[in-house]
Amino acid sequence: MSSIDKSGTYRLGDRTVKRLGYGAMQLAGPGVFGPPKDRPQAVAVLRAAIAAGVDHIDTSDFYGPHVTNEIIREALHPYPDNLTIVTKVGGKRGADGSWLKADAPDELRSAVHDNLRNLGLETLDVVNMRFMFDPHHPAEGPVEPQIEVLAELQRQGLIRHIGVSHVTSAQVKAARRIVDIVCVQNLYNLVRRDDDALIDELAAEGIAYVPYFPLGGFSPLQSDTLSALAKRLGVTPMQLALAWLLKRSPNILLIPGTSSLGHLEENLAAANIELDGATLAELDAIGKA
């Protein structure tokens, strides 16, 4: 058994995927804008992830924009039969690299077609609708207009499954009244624990939860306790943070991103880490401090 197999599996739409996947955001240039400094390296990282057993890649056509999807296509097309590619819509990039909302019906339709074209696909496996009622945290607001548009595209055969991102529990319920929701993608990690209750709700319904920024994102996780525990176990703090997420709930699917072959290997090795009850309790306390 390879290390990634030890992460276990979970259902994502009509597929069963390994719980340790890969997030493509960091394949673009600085600030997720423009091309990478080393495109051959980005291609190599993707191919190494697949060779290691990764079967779930998270991306978006507004990463770059277009850059990560173009690199994914260059590296992996034609895609392995077991590979699930999840993308997201609802945003766009300004000329200055700013992150802007783009959730009008025509913008969503255009985004889906952009993803199809740049990934070289006829149908997208999963499309997450990213909501931006508040840029910093999920905020209540109507989700029905956007979900209706994606449901229409699903009926046309352009989308296989639909997910939601940056949402509250009430918004998940509202979306599920329109379509089947196969995953929820929100900010969550060892330190940011706002979605504890939502994760448990989704697990009871058999819905995958995919934390973005599982390692803190643009501001990596910092904790003296995490560092001390990692040193004691002989692993890196980031590996330990991923191992905690795998232990947190069986419906959590991880998509740590990197543009480094070394960091990719480290991330995937997190599946090997065994956590006893005492260590888990110490880690749990970090998010409750």
Side-chain angles (χ1 to χ4, degrees), residues 84-211:
T84 298
I85 298 178
V86 179
T87 190
K88 66 183 67 63
V89 296
K92 64 181 180 181
R93 306 302 296 278
D96 59 352
S98 56
W99 300 82
L100 306 171
K101 184 166 67 170
D103 62 359
D106 285 349
E107 290 175 313
L108 296 178
R109 295 186 189 100
S110 177
V112 166
H113 283 282
D114 286 345
N115 277 280
L116 288 166
R117 181 181 63 257
N118 290 320
L119 287 169
L121 291 169
E122 295 182 355
T123 303
L124 298 171
D125 293 326
V126 183
V127 174
N128 285 325
M129 178 61 220
R130 165 82 175 194
F131 290 96
M132 299 187 185
F133 294 109
D134 184 294
H136 303 297
H137 54 78
E140 298 296 353
V143 301
E144 291 85 354
Q146 291 78 20
I147 296 299
E148 291 281 9
V149 173
L150 295 189
E152 171 198 339
L153 295 169
Q154 185 181 47
R155 289 189 292 271
Q156 294 173 11
L158 301 180
I159 297 172
R160 187 165 288 113
H161 300 290
I162 295 170
V164 287
S165 177
H166 207 57
V167 289
T168 66
S169 175
Q171 289 167 329
V172 175
K173 292 181 175 67
R176 292 184 68 199
R177 286 192 285 270
I178 299 171
V179 294
D180 288 333
I181 296 297
V182 302
C183 59
V184 173
Q185 188 176 107
N186 278 5
L187 171 60
Y188 183 84
N189 52 50
L190 180 63
V191 174
R192 293 288 301 272
R193 303 279 297 278
D194 298 344
D195 272 1
D196 273 336
L198 177 58
I199 289 170
D200 296 337
E201 290 174 15
L202 296 172
E205 298 291 337
I207 298 172
Y209 182 92
V210 187

Side-chain angles (χ1 to χ4, degrees), residues 15-18 50 53-56 79-85:
R15 299 276 186 89
T16 297
V17 300
K18 294 166 188 173
I50 297 302
V54 167
D55 59 9
H56 168 211
Y79 302 111
D81 290 340
N82 69 332
L83 178 62
T84 298
I85 298 178

